[in-house]
Amino acid sequence: MNAPFEHVKEYELPKGGRLIIAPTTTKDVVILQGSMLGGKRMVPSNRDVLPLLAAALLDAGTATKSKEQIRERLAARGMSLEFYSSVDRTNFSGRCFPEDVATLLTVIAECLKGAAFPEREVKA
C-alpha cells in the first residue's frame, strides 16, 4: 500500500461486505464507509432500477423503527447516514463523533438487516 494510504484499514465482512476506516485531518469526526454485494450487475437488465430503489429506501424504516425514528436518532447526536448503489455494491457512508461510532454502526446494521421497504415510500 502506498504511503498516503498506510493508515487505511479495510475489513472483510460476511457475505461480501466491506468496511473501510481511514483517519482524516478533521478533528472529532469519524467518517465510515462500507458496502455489501448488491448492485446493478446483480439483477436482470430489465430490473436494474431495483438496486437504486432498494438503496434509497434502506433508511426509510425497519421492522421496529419508522423513518422518522431513525432520522431523529441520527439528528439527536449530529450523525449523518446515506445509502447508495453502484454497479456491484450497495454502499453506505456516515459521519459521527468518535463516541457515537457504535451507535452509528448499530443504525447501519438495523437498516441493512431489517429494512421494511414501506409501500408508501415506494409509491411516492
Side-chain angles (χ1 to χ4, degrees):
M1 199 174 290
N2 295 343
F5 301 105
E6 66 187 29
H7 298 294
V8 174
K9 303 232 186 284
E10 181 175 357
Y11 299 92
E12 296 292 326
L13 303 174
K15 299 182 182 178
R18 293 188 298 199
L19 177 63
I20 299 168
I21 301 175
T24 69
T25 56
T26 306
K27 292 188 185 269
D28 299 324
V29 174
V30 174
I31 301 168
L32 295 171
Q33 290 197 306
S35 67
M36 57 188 258
L37 289 175
K40 199 167 138 174
R41 283 193 195 150
M42 304 295 180
V43 296
S45 62
N46 65 336
R47 302 189 61 103
D48 64 356
V49 73
L50 291 178
L52 295 169
L53 179 61
L57 294 174
L58 281 171
D59 65 349
T62 67
T64 59
K65 291 185 179 62
S66 69
K67 171 173 65 174
E68 292 76 21
Q69 289 172 312
I70 293 169
R71 292 185 178 167
E72 285 173 12
R73 186 174 183 191
L74 294 169
R77 297 293 303 156
M79 294 183 278
S80 68
L81 177 59
E82 175 187 17
F83 291 98
Y84 54 97
S85 182
S86 64
V87 175
D88 294 332
R89 308 191 72 79
T90 296
N91 306 281
F92 62 84
S93 178
R95 293 174 186 257
C96 65
F97 295 113
E99 62 269 20
D100 294 322
V101 170
T103 301
L104 182 56
L105 286 171
T106 298
V107 172
I108 292 167
E110 288 172 354
C111 291
L112 290 173
K113 285 182 175 180
F117 304 109
E119 188 175 337
R120 71 182 182 279
E121 296 286 339
V122 175
K123 287 182 178 179

